Amino acid sequence: MSDKLILVLNCGSSSLKGALIDNHSGEVILSCLAEKLTTPDAYITFKYFEHPNVKPADRASWFNGRADGDKHEVSLSGNHDHTGAVQALLDELTTHNLQNLVKAIGHRVVHGGEKYSGSVVITDDVIATLEECIPLAPLHNPANLTGIRAAQSIFPELTNVGVFDTAFHQTMPEHAYTYAVPRELYRKYGFRRYGFHGTSFRYVAPAAAQILGKNVEDCALVIAHLGNGASVCAVKNGESKDTSMGVTPLEGLVMGTRSGDIDPSTCSFLAENAGMDVKAVTDLLNKKSGLLGISELSNDCRTIQEAADEGHAGAKLALEVMTYRLAKYIASMAVATDGIDALVFTGGIGENSNVVRSKTVGYLGFLGLTIDEKANDATRFGAAGIISEAGKTPAVLVVPTNEERMIAMDTGRLAGL
Ligand code: AMP
């Protein structure tokens, strides 16, 4: 293990996810998840990983007698906000005498607006800009800022770096990011397509190019990041040319609980027919739609697949709507890349669901995409590789994403480690 560790933090309004990453090897040493923050039931769970560079003789002291991969939970009832969670993390590090090895902190930040096309060291000016971006991400950016302030107060001597979900998409051409609404809305409010999951696409694109034996600068890729939130991105020559999420993460694909694309008249329709106000419609489209809304069962793809196998009509329909929409979007992204060298699956569903991959590629034979069912079944649970028929182009790939590692890499670079 090197003596330079990076803490990666991802804060939600009531949660904090953390990972302690070795700057040299990229290995995760410790991860944590604080939940129910801001309530008296708040707690934080620490999970230890085996570390290849920790000598067996040192392991007992490293893991404090716990088995590798063990979890343990600490109540945050005394100080149950984000600062309390970061303090508990520092206490945990101190127990292992690791506190002095942490050299920098990387923060996942959802929205950087048009200001940031790359990661930045967090300064007072950056914080002011993130505050300006709050109207673009009213749920996420305040939580990210809370995490940054908590880190600054508990680790006052460390460099903090912001890594934005939106930054990778700043290379989109104007015709891809402009909505067909009065131009004034863009000038006044920055109303345009931004796109998200940029850190994941940025990690996956070169890894996919490597599998193809090419440079990412010479590749046309359509990448489908399919998790509870999902989006596709057209990556040409290493740059984002278009993506399915928009001014918010609601646009585009059918997701766990989000509707994705929908007739813009939905709001007036539901106001007039169901008496719903803007807040209720927003809630419905973000939290009650997608796989959950169609299936009336679950937002979880694995549960949906199992129920569909057992004949659950809602689950079957949810899977069909999701994969058909996904295929339509993949085909449309091939316009942005002007043909494709490979379709790449990533994210919890993309990495693990042979069913979703097979159904989706089944619609895309006209683009020359094929699937080798044996390779498709075998390439799951962390495996990477080609799942299209041998020698056929475009290729279809699976590449596990690693957003935390990408954040740690940017943080190490910007902190001069
Ligand atoms: P993420 O948000 O990237 O963690 O992905 C979460 C989604 O991945 C959930 O919908 C899970 O049900 C789905 N997922 C994870 N493992 C599998 C699997 N083996 N088969 C199908 N879906 C899976």
Side-chain angles (χ1 to χ4, degrees), residues 24-37:
H24 180 65
S25 67
E27 295 294 326
V28 179
I29 289 154
L30 169 72
S31 72
C32 67
L33 175 64
E35 293 182 284
K36 301 191 179 175
L37 294 175

Side-chain angles (χ1 to χ4, degrees), residues 361 364-365 368-372 387-390 392-396:
V361 174
L364 296 167
L369 295 169
T370 57
I371 200 133
D372 174 335
I387 59 167
S388 45
E389 290 173 9
K392 291 272 174 66
T393 54
V396 182

Side-chain angles (χ1 to χ4, degrees), residues 226-229 299-302 305 347-349 352-353 380-381:
L226 311 175
N228 203 27
N299 66 309
D300 189 280
C301 187
R302 212 171 348 186
Q305 279 179 212
I349 299 170
N352 299 305
S353 177
R380 304 168 71 199
F381 314 128

Side-chain angles (χ1 to χ4, degrees), residues 351-372:
E351 291 166 29
N352 299 305
S353 177
N354 48 346
V355 174
V356 167
R357 296 187 309 223
S358 177
K359 277 181 171 297
T360 305
V361 174
Y363 285 110
L364 296 167
F366 74 98
L367 284 175
L369 295 169
T370 57
I371 200 133
D372 174 335

